[in-house]
Amino acid sequence: MADMRFDAQVAIVTGAGHGLGRAHALDLAARGAKVVVNDLGGTVEGTGASTGPASDVVDEIRKTGGVAVASADNVATPEGAEAIIQTAVSEFGQVDAVINNAGILRDRSFMKMTPAEFDTVLAVHLRGSFLVTHAAWPHLRAQGYGRVVMTSSPAGLFGSFGQANYASAKMGLIGLTKTLAVEGAKYGIKVNAIAPVAHTRMTAGILPDELAGEFGPELVTPLVSYLAHSDCAATGQVYSAGGGRVALVVVAEGPGWVKKDGLTAEDVRDAWEQINAVQPQIVPASAGEQTAALFSALQG
Ligand code: NAI
């Protein structure tokens, strides 16, 4: 099989000054994509800003003969998101793939978490991914082609202590992914999400340093490059990746239990075991498919 190339394509990677985003940008550029390397250049907590990290990655790409341009815009503002897309269009004439990767942490147990800590984290991960994708969308629609990758997290999919803000944002991205997959279908736009595990500055205090070698970002990037490629037919899906393992993650519904007339709280209590059965399960591709399954179950 031929190598997966991105010649004549333009990719945007947000938060590409460090960690996972940097690895994605390097791989896409090495495969021939012209890359907008976006990074606000602040701390893990999202304070401060610097043009340094994005420029450094652009220098790294150019040194190996790749094509890239830096953007230090903030994904969390409409102006910043628009500027990122405009950089791609003015420098390279188009946008083919958008990798929403920028992120910050403001971890705190739920009791102590302030509304500002909640809002700030959602603003970067969820609203930032919305804003950047929204600014790119007219271009993707007009050309009848696009690939969008959202960066979710096991914390959002499965829950994580001290991360109510982060987990909410990351699960919100799954709803965004699945809805944009539905809306993008007739325009050739495929939208998928990843839930990575990698040793980066963000996880330095969580994943032990001894595991840094085994959990490098470059073991997540191949999934992102595949999802960003025209070969990828998947859409609306979520894949976890870390340490070289790649797995499908699904939102499934069990077979359920039915009592059409006079359902009471006591009925629910008494049928709790059947209600909690997970097999046989369905994995709906949209809310419509879930509703169709409901109708079919009600018809017996
Ligand atoms: P990182 O801190 O190395 O990279 C995040 C980058 O986003 C930083 O370079 C930062 O400057 C940039 N950024 C932050 N706010 C920005 C903004 N408003 N506009 C533009 N750029 C901004 O962390 P890492 O680990 O590489 O994280 C990348 C993504 O992967 C994040 O969305 C993170 O939540 C997600 N993730 C990472 C996991 C891991 O194990 N490393 C696990 C699950 C999710």
Side-chain angles (χ1 to χ4, degrees), residues 181-271:
V182 172
E183 291 199 22
K186 68 177 172 187
Y187 302 105
I189 306 172
K190 315 275 190 210
V191 186
N192 294 286
I194 66 159
V197 176
H199 192 277
T200 66
R201 66 176 197 167
M202 188 182 271
T203 52
I206 306 161
L207 270 183
D209 285 347
E210 307 86 82
L211 291 179
E214 284 173 61
F215 284 87
E218 66 285 351
L219 290 171
V220 172
T221 291
L223 169 65
V224 171
S225 296
Y226 176 70
L227 295 175
H229 197 268
S230 57
D231 279 0
C232 175
T235 194
Q237 305 298 331
V238 185
Y239 300 92
S240 64
R245 172 178 177 263
V246 182
L248 177 70
V249 178
V250 296
V251 179
E253 188 175 61
W257 174 81
V258 176
K259 183 185 176 199
K260 282 182 9 181
D261 299 318
L263 181 69
T264 65
E266 290 75 17
D267 290 331
V268 172
R269 176 195 62 200
D270 297 342

Side-chain angles (χ1 to χ4, degrees), residues 2 41 67 113 131 154 209 233:
V67 179
M113 186 172 286
L131 290 171
D209 285 347

Side-chain angles (χ1 to χ4, degrees), residues 79-101:
E79 302 74 29
E82 191 58 48
I84 295 167
I85 304 307
Q86 277 318 311
T87 299
V89 172
S90 61
E91 294 283 330
F92 303 135
Q94 67 198 66
V95 184
D96 299 292
V98 179
I99 316 300
N100 290 294
N101 165 82

Side-chain angles (χ1 to χ4, degrees), residues 62-138:
R62 288 185 181 155
K63 267 186 205 138
T64 54
V67 179
V69 64
S71 143
D73 298 295
N74 184 353
V75 300
T77 68
E79 302 74 29
E82 191 58 48
I84 295 167
I85 304 307
Q86 277 318 311
T87 299
V89 172
S90 61
E91 294 283 330
F92 303 135
Q94 67 198 66
V95 184
D96 299 292
V98 179
I99 316 300
N100 290 294
N101 165 82
I104 61 167
L105 290 180
R106 296 276 170 100
D107 291 2
R108 202 180 295 279
S109 64
F110 185 59
M111 186 90 154
K112 294 182 186 147
M113 186 172 286
T114 65
E117 285 164 345
F118 187 82
D119 291 346
T120 306
V121 167
L122 263 79
V124 177
H125 293 274
L126 183 55
R127 193 159 183 270
S129 299
F130 161 77
L131 290 171
V132 173
T133 309
H134 195 251
W137 203 253

